[in-house]
Amino acid sequence: MDAAIVVGAGIGGVAAAGALRRAGWRVRVLESAPELGEVGAGLVVTVNGQRAAEELGAAERIRRSGYDVRAAGTRRWDGKWLLKAPDGGDTGMIGIHRQRLHQALVEAQDADLVTGARVTAVEPGAVGGERARVTWESADGTHSARADLVVGADGIRSTTRNALFSTRLRYSGFSCWRAATPDTTVDDRFAMTWGPRAEFGALRISADDVYWYGYVAMPSGRPIGDEVRAVREYFAAWAPDVRALTETTDEVIRHDVWVLERPLPRYTIGRTVLIGDAAHPMLPTLGQGANSALEDAVTLGLVIPAGGELAAGLREYESQRYRRTQRIVSRSAWMGRTGAEVGPRGQWLRNAMLRITPPRAALRNGTRIFDWTPPGSFGTQAVDRG
Protein backbone atom coordinates (compact mmCIF):
# COMPACT_ATOMS: atom_id res chain seq x y z
CA MET A 1 0.00 0.00 0.00
CA ASP A 2 1.33 3.45 -0.91
CA ALA A 3 2.41 5.52 2.09
CA ALA A 4 1.56 9.18 2.62
CA ILE A 5 2.57 11.62 5.34
CA VAL A 6 0.31 14.58 6.16
CA VAL A 7 2.00 17.45 7.99
CA GLY A 8 -0.53 19.16 10.25
CA ALA A 9 -3.73 17.88 11.86
CA GLY A 10 -5.97 20.91 11.60
CA ILE A 11 -9.17 20.89 9.57
CA GLY A 12 -7.37 20.51 6.24
CA GLY A 13 -4.93 17.92 7.56
CA VAL A 14 -7.47 15.51 9.03
CA ALA A 15 -9.67 15.96 5.95
CA ALA A 16 -6.72 15.08 3.70
CA ALA A 17 -5.97 12.04 5.84
CA GLY A 18 -9.56 10.87 5.49
CA ALA A 19 -9.61 11.44 1.73
CA LEU A 20 -6.32 9.62 1.17
CA ARG A 21 -7.43 6.68 3.33
CA ARG A 22 -10.58 6.39 1.22
CA ALA A 23 -8.38 6.43 -1.87
CA GLY A 24 -6.38 3.45 -0.57
CA TRP A 25 -3.34 5.18 0.96
CA ARG A 26 -1.66 4.26 4.22
CA VAL A 27 -1.51 7.60 6.05
CA ARG A 28 0.47 9.02 8.94
CA VAL A 29 -0.42 12.50 10.25
CA LEU A 30 2.23 14.51 12.11
CA GLU A 31 0.93 17.23 14.44
CA SER A 32 3.23 19.52 16.43
CA ALA A 33 0.73 20.19 19.23
CA PRO A 34 0.76 17.77 22.18
CA GLU A 35 -2.96 17.07 21.73
CA LEU A 36 -5.35 16.99 18.79
CA GLY A 37 -7.66 19.96 18.62
CA GLU A 38 -8.53 23.14 16.78
CA VAL A 39 -7.96 26.70 17.94
CA GLY A 40 -10.66 29.27 17.27
CA ALA A 41 -14.33 29.97 17.73
CA GLY A 42 -16.71 29.38 14.85
CA LEU A 43 -17.15 29.33 11.10
CA VAL A 44 -19.72 28.62 8.44
CA VAL A 45 -19.67 25.47 6.31
CA THR A 46 -21.00 26.54 2.93
CA VAL A 47 -22.43 24.31 0.21
CA ASN A 48 -19.02 23.49 -1.27
CA GLY A 49 -17.66 22.48 2.14
CA GLN A 50 -20.70 20.30 2.74
CA ARG A 51 -20.21 18.54 -0.60
CA ALA A 52 -16.63 17.80 0.38
CA ALA A 53 -17.81 16.54 3.77
CA GLU A 54 -20.21 14.15 2.03
CA GLU A 55 -17.28 12.52 0.26
CA LEU A 56 -15.39 12.28 3.55
CA GLY A 57 -18.28 10.59 5.36
CA ALA A 58 -18.54 13.50 7.80
CA ALA A 59 -21.59 15.39 6.51
CA GLU A 60 -24.15 13.98 8.95
CA ARG A 61 -21.83 14.53 11.91
CA ILE A 62 -21.36 18.16 10.86
CA ARG A 63 -25.10 18.71 10.47
CA ARG A 64 -25.73 17.27 13.93
CA SER A 65 -22.97 19.39 15.46
CA GLY A 66 -23.91 22.70 13.84
CA TYR A 67 -26.87 24.94 13.12
CA ASP A 68 -28.61 25.77 9.82
CA VAL A 69 -28.20 29.46 8.97
CA ARG A 70 -29.18 31.62 5.98
CA ALA A 71 -27.75 34.75 4.43
CA ALA A 72 -29.56 37.94 5.52
CA GLY A 73 -27.54 40.52 3.59
CA THR A 74 -25.25 43.43 4.44
CA ARG A 75 -25.80 46.33 6.85
CA ARG A 76 -24.14 49.60 7.69
CA TRP A 77 -22.43 50.00 11.08
CA ASP A 78 -25.55 51.63 12.58
CA GLY A 79 -27.80 48.74 11.54
CA LYS A 80 -29.30 50.27 8.37
CA TRP A 81 -29.54 47.77 5.53
CA LEU A 82 -27.35 48.23 2.47
CA LEU A 83 -28.67 45.07 0.88
CA LYS A 84 -31.24 42.72 2.40
CA ALA A 85 -31.57 39.17 1.12
CA PRO A 86 -35.08 38.03 0.13
CA ASP A 87 -37.01 36.30 2.91
CA GLY A 88 -37.25 32.56 2.53
CA GLY A 89 -33.92 32.26 0.72
CA ASP A 90 -31.95 29.14 1.60
CA THR A 91 -28.19 29.39 1.10
CA GLY A 92 -27.54 25.99 2.69
CA MET A 93 -25.02 27.16 5.29
CA ILE A 94 -24.17 25.51 8.60
CA GLY A 95 -22.75 27.51 11.48
CA ILE A 96 -20.47 25.39 13.65
CA HIS A 97 -17.77 25.70 16.29
CA ARG A 98 -14.35 24.98 14.81
CA GLN A 99 -13.66 22.33 17.44
CA ARG A 100 -16.89 20.47 16.59
CA LEU A 101 -16.08 20.55 12.88
CA HIS A 102 -12.59 19.27 13.58
CA GLN A 103 -13.92 16.47 15.77
CA ALA A 104 -16.42 15.41 13.10
CA LEU A 105 -13.57 15.10 10.58
CA VAL A 106 -11.34 13.21 13.03
CA GLU A 107 -14.12 10.69 13.68
CA ALA A 108 -14.58 10.12 9.93
CA GLN A 109 -11.01 8.94 9.28
CA ASP A 110 -8.72 6.29 10.71
CA ALA A 111 -5.21 7.45 9.87
CA ASP A 112 -2.21 7.09 12.19
CA LEU A 113 -2.28 10.38 14.12
CA VAL A 114 0.97 11.34 15.86
CA THR A 115 0.95 14.35 18.20
CA GLY A 116 3.93 16.19 19.66
CA ALA A 117 5.74 15.77 16.33
CA ARG A 118 7.35 19.05 15.23
CA VAL A 119 8.40 18.76 11.59
CA THR A 120 11.80 20.35 10.98
CA ALA A 121 12.60 19.37 7.38
CA VAL A 122 10.84 18.19 4.24
CA GLU A 123 12.66 16.82 1.20
CA PRO A 124 10.16 16.75 -1.69
CA GLY A 125 11.65 13.81 -3.57
CA ALA A 126 11.02 13.27 -7.27
CA VAL A 127 8.10 11.76 -9.13
CA GLY A 128 9.38 8.55 -10.67
CA GLY A 129 12.51 8.80 -8.53
CA GLU A 130 13.51 9.22 -4.91
CA ARG A 131 10.72 9.18 -2.35
CA ALA A 132 10.04 12.25 -0.21
CA ARG A 133 11.44 12.45 3.31
CA VAL A 134 10.05 14.14 6.42
CA THR A 135 12.09 14.76 9.59
CA TRP A 136 10.50 15.64 12.92
CA GLU A 137 11.35 16.14 16.57
CA SER A 138 9.38 14.60 19.43
CA ALA A 139 9.88 13.95 23.13
CA ASP A 140 11.89 10.79 22.40
CA GLY A 141 14.25 12.32 19.85
CA THR A 142 14.63 12.95 16.13
CA HIS A 143 12.73 10.84 13.60
CA SER A 144 12.72 10.57 9.83
CA ALA A 145 10.55 8.70 7.36
CA ARG A 146 10.16 8.42 3.63
CA ALA A 147 6.82 8.59 1.83
CA ASP A 148 5.41 8.22 -1.66
CA LEU A 149 3.44 11.43 -1.05
CA VAL A 150 3.76 14.29 1.45
CA VAL A 151 0.87 16.68 2.07
CA GLY A 152 1.67 20.03 3.64
CA ALA A 153 -1.39 21.03 5.66
CA ASP A 154 0.52 22.98 8.28
CA GLY A 155 -1.11 26.37 7.93
CA ILE A 156 -0.07 29.94 7.26
CA ARG A 157 3.44 29.51 8.71
CA SER A 158 3.96 26.21 6.93
CA THR A 159 7.28 24.44 7.38
CA THR A 160 6.46 22.35 4.33
CA ARG A 161 5.89 25.41 2.13
CA ASN A 162 9.08 27.04 3.36
CA ALA A 163 11.00 23.91 2.36
CA LEU A 164 9.69 24.19 -1.21
CA PHE A 165 9.48 27.92 -1.91
CA SER A 166 11.15 31.18 -0.90
CA THR A 167 8.10 33.01 0.39
CA ARG A 168 7.37 35.83 2.78
CA LEU A 169 4.25 36.73 4.70
CA ARG A 170 2.64 40.16 4.52
CA TYR A 171 0.44 41.68 7.19
CA SER A 172 -3.02 42.34 5.77
CA GLY A 173 -3.56 45.49 7.83
CA PHE A 174 -6.34 43.84 9.84
CA SER A 175 -6.67 41.98 13.11
CA CYS A 176 -9.67 39.84 14.03
CA TRP A 177 -11.49 39.44 17.34
CA ARG A 178 -13.49 36.22 17.66
CA ALA A 179 -15.70 34.70 20.31
CA ALA A 180 -18.33 32.01 20.90
CA THR A 181 -20.80 33.16 23.50
CA PRO A 182 -24.06 31.86 25.02
CA ASP A 183 -27.01 33.62 23.37
CA THR A 184 -30.66 32.96 22.55
CA THR A 185 -31.54 36.27 20.87
CA VAL A 186 -29.77 35.91 17.50
CA ASP A 187 -31.92 34.07 14.96
CA ASP A 188 -30.85 31.90 12.02
CA ARG A 189 -29.88 34.82 9.76
CA PHE A 190 -26.28 35.80 9.11
CA ALA A 191 -25.61 39.43 8.18
CA MET A 192 -22.35 41.23 7.57
CA THR A 193 -22.12 44.68 9.12
CA TRP A 194 -19.68 47.15 7.56
CA GLY A 195 -18.23 50.16 9.29
CA PRO A 196 -15.22 52.46 8.94
CA ARG A 197 -12.20 50.18 8.55
CA ALA A 198 -14.06 47.27 10.15
CA GLU A 199 -16.54 44.45 9.65
CA PHE A 200 -18.68 42.58 12.18
CA GLY A 201 -20.61 39.36 11.76
CA ALA A 202 -22.50 36.94 13.98
CA LEU A 203 -24.05 33.55 13.30
CA ARG A 204 -25.67 30.88 15.39
CA ILE A 205 -23.56 27.74 15.85
CA SER A 206 -25.94 25.84 18.15
CA ALA A 207 -29.31 26.34 19.83
CA ASP A 208 -27.51 28.02 22.73
CA ASP A 209 -24.39 29.63 21.26
CA VAL A 210 -23.47 32.34 18.77
CA TYR A 211 -20.14 32.92 17.07
CA TRP A 212 -19.16 36.49 16.29
CA TYR A 213 -16.13 38.18 14.77
CA GLY A 214 -14.87 41.74 14.57
CA TYR A 215 -12.45 42.32 11.69
CA VAL A 216 -10.65 45.61 12.33
CA ALA A 217 -7.82 47.62 10.76
CA MET A 218 -4.97 48.12 13.24
CA PRO A 219 -1.16 47.87 13.33
CA SER A 220 0.41 44.43 13.47
CA GLY A 221 1.36 43.18 16.92
CA ARG A 222 -0.54 45.91 18.70
CA PRO A 223 -0.46 45.14 22.45
CA ILE A 224 -3.89 45.19 24.10
CA GLY A 225 -4.04 44.47 27.79
CA ASP A 226 -7.80 43.87 28.13
CA GLU A 227 -9.17 42.46 24.87
CA VAL A 228 -12.77 42.28 26.11
CA ARG A 229 -12.77 45.93 27.13
CA ALA A 230 -11.10 46.93 23.87
CA VAL A 231 -13.66 45.19 21.67
CA ARG A 232 -16.55 46.65 23.65
CA GLU A 233 -15.13 50.15 23.28
CA TYR A 234 -14.44 49.70 19.57
CA PHE A 235 -18.03 48.69 18.76
CA ALA A 236 -19.73 50.89 21.37
CA ALA A 237 -21.39 53.12 18.75
CA TRP A 238 -22.45 50.31 16.40
CA ALA A 239 -25.94 48.78 16.04
CA PRO A 240 -27.63 47.65 19.29
CA ASP A 241 -27.36 43.92 18.47
CA VAL A 242 -23.62 44.29 17.82
CA ARG A 243 -23.12 46.09 21.14
CA ALA A 244 -25.25 43.50 22.96
CA LEU A 245 -23.08 40.61 21.78
CA THR A 246 -19.81 42.29 22.74
CA GLU A 247 -21.17 43.36 26.11
CA THR A 248 -22.33 39.84 27.05
CA THR A 249 -19.06 38.22 25.97
CA ASP A 250 -16.58 37.47 28.73
CA GLU A 251 -13.71 36.04 26.67
CA VAL A 252 -12.36 36.82 23.20
CA ILE A 253 -9.39 35.75 21.12
CA ARG A 254 -7.64 37.94 18.57
CA HIS A 255 -5.15 37.24 15.82
CA ASP A 256 -3.47 39.38 13.21
CA VAL A 257 -4.38 38.32 9.68
CA TRP A 258 -1.44 37.52 7.41
CA VAL A 259 -1.29 36.54 3.75
CA LEU A 260 1.46 35.63 1.31
CA GLU A 261 3.46 38.52 -0.12
CA ARG A 262 2.83 37.01 -3.56
CA PRO A 263 0.98 33.87 -4.74
CA LEU A 264 2.89 30.62 -5.02
CA PRO A 265 3.71 29.65 -8.61
CA ARG A 266 2.34 26.15 -8.01
CA TYR A 267 1.14 23.89 -5.21
CA THR A 268 3.26 20.80 -5.96
CA ILE A 269 6.96 20.02 -6.15
CA GLY A 270 8.29 16.49 -6.51
CA ARG A 271 6.14 14.18 -4.39
CA THR A 272 4.95 16.99 -2.12
CA VAL A 273 1.69 18.92 -2.35
CA LEU A 274 0.33 21.87 -0.36
CA ILE A 275 -3.28 22.39 0.71
CA GLY A 276 -5.28 24.96 2.67
CA ASP A 277 -3.51 27.91 4.26
CA ALA A 278 -0.14 26.37 3.47
CA ALA A 279 -0.94 26.84 -0.22
CA HIS A 280 -3.35 29.78 -0.45
CA PRO A 281 -3.98 31.73 2.77
CA MET A 282 -6.82 34.19 2.29
CA LEU A 283 -8.61 36.95 4.14
CA PRO A 284 -11.63 35.72 6.15
CA THR A 285 -14.05 38.04 4.31
CA LEU A 286 -15.72 35.24 2.30
CA GLY A 287 -15.53 32.56 5.00
CA GLN A 288 -13.78 30.21 2.59
CA GLY A 289 -10.55 29.28 4.41
CA ALA A 290 -11.81 26.03 5.91
CA ASN A 291 -14.20 25.30 3.03
CA SER A 292 -11.49 25.59 0.38
CA ALA A 293 -9.21 23.37 2.51
CA LEU A 294 -11.96 20.72 2.52
CA GLU A 295 -12.19 21.04 -1.26
CA ASP A 296 -8.41 20.63 -1.53
CA ALA A 297 -8.42 17.51 0.64
CA VAL A 298 -11.21 15.72 -1.23
CA THR A 299 -9.77 16.64 -4.64
CA LEU A 300 -6.40 15.26 -3.56
CA GLY A 301 -7.83 11.86 -2.69
CA LEU A 302 -9.98 11.67 -5.81
CA VAL A 303 -7.28 12.55 -8.35
CA ILE A 304 -4.35 10.74 -6.67
CA PRO A 305 -5.59 7.25 -5.72
CA ALA A 306 -3.11 4.79 -4.26
CA GLY A 307 -1.46 2.80 -7.01
CA GLY A 308 -2.32 5.40 -9.63
CA GLU A 309 -0.01 7.47 -11.79
CA LEU A 310 1.38 10.02 -9.33
CA ALA A 311 2.66 12.49 -11.93
CA ALA A 312 -0.71 12.63 -13.70
CA GLY A 313 -2.53 12.94 -10.38
CA LEU A 314 -0.39 15.87 -9.24
CA ARG A 315 -0.93 17.64 -12.57
CA GLU A 316 -4.66 17.14 -12.22
CA TYR A 317 -4.59 18.51 -8.66
CA GLU A 318 -2.90 21.68 -9.92
CA SER A 319 -5.44 21.94 -12.72
CA GLN A 320 -8.38 21.49 -10.38
CA ARG A 321 -7.20 23.69 -7.51
CA TYR A 322 -4.81 26.45 -8.53
CA ARG A 323 -7.04 28.74 -10.59
CA ARG A 324 -10.09 28.27 -8.34
CA THR A 325 -8.29 28.96 -5.06
CA GLN A 326 -6.38 31.95 -6.42
CA ARG A 327 -9.68 33.39 -7.61
CA ILE A 328 -11.08 33.03 -4.06
CA VAL A 329 -7.92 34.62 -2.62
CA SER A 330 -8.32 37.59 -4.95
CA ARG A 331 -12.01 38.01 -4.29
CA SER A 332 -11.50 37.77 -0.52
CA ALA A 333 -8.90 40.54 -0.78
CA TRP A 334 -11.30 42.71 -2.79
CA MET A 335 -14.03 42.18 -0.19
CA GLY A 336 -11.62 43.22 2.52
CA ARG A 337 -10.90 46.64 1.08
CA THR A 338 -13.19 48.59 3.41
CA GLY A 339 -10.59 50.68 5.17
CA ALA A 340 -6.86 50.12 5.32
CA GLU A 341 -6.40 49.50 1.60
CA VAL A 342 -8.86 51.82 -0.16
CA GLY A 343 -10.00 54.20 2.59
CA PRO A 344 -13.41 55.80 3.25
CA ARG A 345 -14.06 56.69 -0.42
CA GLY A 346 -13.68 53.03 -1.42
CA GLN A 347 -16.08 52.00 1.34
CA TRP A 348 -18.63 54.59 0.18
CA LEU A 349 -18.42 53.34 -3.41
CA ARG A 350 -18.91 49.73 -2.36
CA ASN A 351 -21.88 50.65 -0.17
CA ALA A 352 -23.41 52.60 -3.06
CA MET A 353 -22.96 49.65 -5.42
CA LEU A 354 -24.76 47.38 -2.96
CA ARG A 355 -27.67 49.81 -2.69
CA ILE A 356 -28.32 49.73 -6.45
CA THR A 357 -27.85 45.96 -6.86
CA PRO A 358 -31.06 43.85 -6.92
CA PRO A 359 -30.96 41.57 -3.81
CA ARG A 360 -31.54 38.31 -5.69
CA ALA A 361 -28.79 39.15 -8.17
CA ALA A 362 -26.39 39.97 -5.34
CA LEU A 363 -27.26 36.73 -3.56
CA ARG A 364 -26.66 34.69 -6.72
CA ASN A 365 -23.36 36.44 -7.31
CA GLY A 366 -22.32 36.02 -3.67
CA THR A 367 -23.05 32.29 -3.63
CA ARG A 368 -21.44 31.58 -7.02
CA ILE A 369 -18.14 30.98 -5.25
CA PHE A 370 -19.81 28.02 -3.48
CA ASP A 371 -20.57 26.35 -6.83
CA TRP A 372 -18.13 23.45 -6.59
CA THR A 373 -18.59 19.76 -7.21
CA PRO A 374 -16.01 17.07 -6.32
CA PRO A 375 -14.16 15.73 -9.39
CA GLY A 376 -15.54 12.22 -8.95
CA SER A 377 -16.60 10.16 -5.94
CA PHE A 378 -15.14 7.67 -3.51
CA GLY A 379 -18.28 5.60 -4.11
CA THR A 380 -19.49 3.23 -1.43
CA GLN A 381 -16.46 3.97 0.75
CA ALA A 382 -17.84 7.49 1.28
CA VAL A 383 -21.07 6.37 2.97
CA ASP A 384 -21.28 8.19 6.33
CA ARG A 385 -20.72 5.73 9.16
CA GLY A 386 -22.33 8.31 11.55
Side-chain angles (χ1 to χ4, degrees), residues 353-379:
M353 288 176 63
L354 272 186
R355 285 190 179 279
I356 65 175
T357 302
R360 292 188 183 279
L363 187 61
R364 285 195 302 271
N365 185 58
T367 57
R368 196 170 297 157
I369 203 73
F370 311 151
D371 186 16
W372 174 83
T373 302
S377 175
F378 293 114

Side-chain angles (χ1 to χ4, degrees), residues 247-292:
E247 289 169 1
T248 57
T249 297
D250 296 324
E251 183 177 354
V252 299
I253 58 177
R254 181 174 63 87
H255 71 282
D256 291 342
V257 180
W258 294 78
V259 293
L260 291 180
E261 189 173 63
R262 60 178 59 88
L264 297 179
R266 65 187 71 86
Y267 296 159
T268 64
I269 287 185
R271 294 174 175 267
T272 302
V273 58
L274 301 173
I275 72 170
D277 281 351
H280 45 75
M282 59 189 67
L283 299 186
T285 49
L286 286 175
Q288 286 301 295
N291 289 287
S292 61

Side-chain angles (χ1 to χ4, degrees), residues 67 181-188 203-211 244-245 248:
Y67 198 92
T181 187
D183 179 271
T184 57
T185 63
V186 176
D187 60 19
D188 66 343
L203 70 150
R204 184 157 292 285
I205 57 175
S206 75
D208 304 311
D209 300 295
V210 164
Y211 160 65
L245 279 174
T248 57

Side-chain angles (χ1 to χ4, degrees), residues 18-19 22 50-59 298 302 372 374 376-379 381-383:
R22 285 167 182 267
Q50 292 173 53
R51 288 174 181 162
E54 291 279 0
E55 290 300 320
L56 294 170
V298 167
L302 289 171
W372 174 83
S377 175
F378 293 114
Q381 295 182 81
V383 174

Side-chain angles (χ1 to χ4, degrees), residues 32-50:
S32 60
E35 296 180 357
L36 275 186
E38 179 69 15
V39 177
L43 54 82
V44 62
V45 184
T46 46
V47 173
N48 49 324
Q50 292 173 53

Side-chain angles (χ1 to χ4, degrees), residues 7 118-122 154-164:
V7 182
R118 184 176 64 87
V119 170
T120 57
V122 176
D154 43 350
I156 181 71
R157 302 187 184 279
S158 170
T159 298
T160 311
R161 183 185 66 235
N162 291 340
L164 305 181

